[in-house]
Amino acid sequence: AVTVSGTAPELTADVPTDLEFADLQRTVATAGDGDDLAVGQLVSGQYQIIDPATGEVQLDSATTSADDSGLVPLIVDASSIVGSAVLCTPLGSSTAFTIPGSMLGDGASNVVVVAQSVDELPTAATGEDQDPVAGMPEVELARQAFDERWGR
């Protein structure tokens, strides 16, 4: 059995090197205390892709985070591996997902995915003014440009 411990961004998993499986299976290792996640939600979290033959982590999303949080955005959706791992689980849950290579394409190896959702992220702008970031182009709103040009 896969053992998941820790919390994102320091989520870890112990995958026995003799782990064999032929079916897709997801197990909730730790249930979170938030609302169940639905298709289309955007959450922050962490995931790892592990080779069950060696127990070696092939990819740890904490190493690809755009900031110091170690978290990455996860789109909750049944059409993606990571999105499927957290779909319909309470926010804050950690899961283990076994995926047989036969489902990934000809010659593909089995993989184990562990994932944890942390916080819900907004999916739309709030409309609040933001200070410009040094080195980035400034944005002029169309309405503002119109009013300035036509004296409104």
Side-chain angles (χ1 to χ4, degrees):
V2 177
T3 304
V4 181
S5 57
T7 56
E10 297 175 6
L11 193 65
T12 60
D14 182 33
V15 178
T17 56
D18 61 349
L19 181 66
E20 293 185 22
F21 52 88
D23 296 319
L24 180 71
Q25 182 178 355
R26 183 183 72 175
T27 302
V28 175
T30 306
D33 58 4
D35 292 336
D36 286 356
L37 298 177
V39 169
Q41 285 185 278
L42 182 64
V43 297
S44 63
Q46 179 191 3
Y47 64 90
Q48 293 179 340
I49 299 175
I50 302 165
D51 179 349
T54 64
E56 181 180 331
V57 174
Q58 301 294 306
L59 175 65
D60 184 347
S61 69
T63 65
T64 66
S65 178
D67 59 23
D68 293 338
S69 72
L71 303 175
V72 296
L74 309 175
I75 299 171
V76 181
D77 193 328
S79 65
S80 73
I81 292 173
V82 177
S84 296
V86 298
L87 179 63
C88 297
T89 63
L91 182 65
S93 298
S94 58
T95 60
F97 202 29
T98 59
I99 306 171
S102 61
M103 294 186 76
L104 300 172
D106 288 340
S109 300
N110 290 353
V111 296
V112 173
V113 176
V114 295
Q116 183 179 30
S117 59
V118 176
D119 289 313
E120 187 170 1
L121 300 173
T123 56
T126 61
E128 296 175 11
D129 288 339
Q130 301 293 313
D131 292 330
V133 175
M136 296 297 290
E138 290 191 33
V139 175
E140 183 177 27
L141 300 176
R143 180 67 188 183
Q144 178 183 353
F146 179 85
D147 288 349
E148 288 175 4
R149 180 172 180 147
W150 301 105
R152 290 192 173 184

